[in-house]
Amino acid sequence: MMHFPDDLMAALVLATLAGLSVPAGAALTFAEKWVPHGADQSLRHFVTAFGGGALISAIALVLVPEGVERLPPFWAVAWFGLGGLAFLIVDRALAKTGSHAAQFLAMLLDYLPEAMALGALLAADRAVAVLMAVLIGLQNLPEGFNAFREMRESGMPQRRAIWLFLLMVPVGPAAAALGMLVLADSPGVLGAVMMFSSGGILYLLFQDVAPAVPMKHSWLPPFGAVAGFMLGLAGHLATG
């Protein structure tokens, strides 16, 4: 049962904390100069893989299990496929325009539905909602890191990029409030959002994340995916 406005406040706080990991990830790029020469590439690949592991854990432990509980099997599969198809179309459109903000937009595309699901889940299961917030934060950190590097290397003025990333912080709470006010009483719609998001995230994982992980003569980056999933699994087990 929803306890408004306590649940709304909890959703805003959790989404804000998860959103803060976006500029925090961007801030990590300024620490690269302290990394020993020759190790910076391994660090970047490790961070990318870590984000991939966190994304997989979000799909496997929260989004798909919670989504299939709220939808008939046919529609669960259909929305999953539609999510992957939609992200494919967006990805191709970005490639044709030569956009230098592909990773930023990819982060936004998976962040928004997840934040909406976070808000809606608070009304049903606060422990799962907290886990969702942790997973969002884990994946936003490396996504923010990679997206900020992409923008900076494309020539975008650093000050403009910083403001853009700071503006991402209130986006999460707004989406979480929308999820709580609109989706909490519509389990079918919430399930569709979760499955759609899962399909899109899986597409991004194999299109953008996984191909960027391997490095010759380095076995540490792939272990980042293991570490990211481990943290997600630990949170899942901790919430029972």
Side-chain angles (χ1 to χ4, degrees), residues 2 23 45 50-51 70 77 93 110 122 125 138 143 197 202 224 235:
M2 183 182 297
H45 286 240
F50 183 88
R70 294 167 169 81
V77 174
D110 63 56
L122 265 168
D125 193 328
L138 284 175
E143 285 183 334
S197 178
L202 190 63

Side-chain angles (χ1 to χ4, degrees), residues 190-205:
L190 175 58
V193 169
M194 289 178 166
M195 298 307 297
F196 184 90
S197 178
S198 297
I201 291 171
L202 190 63
Y203 171 85
L204 292 175
L205 276 168

Side-chain angles (χ1 to χ4, degrees), residues 22 26 29 99-108 143-166 168:
V22 174
T29 62
S99 172
H100 296 295
Q103 293 198 47
F104 179 84
L105 291 174
M107 175 177 63
L108 188 63
E143 285 183 334
F145 177 87
N146 291 319
F148 191 81
R149 284 188 66 254
E150 179 186 56
M151 286 185 171
R152 193 169 60 184
E153 292 174 359
S154 71
M156 177 180 286
Q158 185 168 284
R159 181 172 295 182
R160 183 186 303 174
I162 290 173
W163 276 110
L164 185 61
F165 274 71
L166 289 174
M168 281 289 290

Side-chain angles (χ1 to χ4, degrees), residues 152-234:
R152 193 169 60 184
E153 292 174 359
S154 71
M156 177 180 286
Q158 185 168 284
R159 181 172 295 182
R160 183 186 303 174
I162 290 173
W163 276 110
L164 185 61
F165 274 71
L166 289 174
L167 288 173
M168 281 289 290
V169 177
V171 168
L178 179 65
M180 173 167 285
L181 297 174
V182 177
L183 300 183
D185 295 325
S186 303
V189 178
L190 175 58
V193 169
M194 289 178 166
M195 298 307 297
F196 184 90
S197 178
S198 297
I201 291 171
L202 190 63
Y203 171 85
L204 292 175
L205 276 168
F206 282 92
Q207 176 65 13
D208 297 323
V209 179
V213 170
M215 284 185 67
K216 290 183 178 180
H217 311 300
S218 179
W219 293 266
L220 182 62
F223 188 75
V226 178
F229 192 91
M230 283 172 61
L231 283 179
L233 179 59

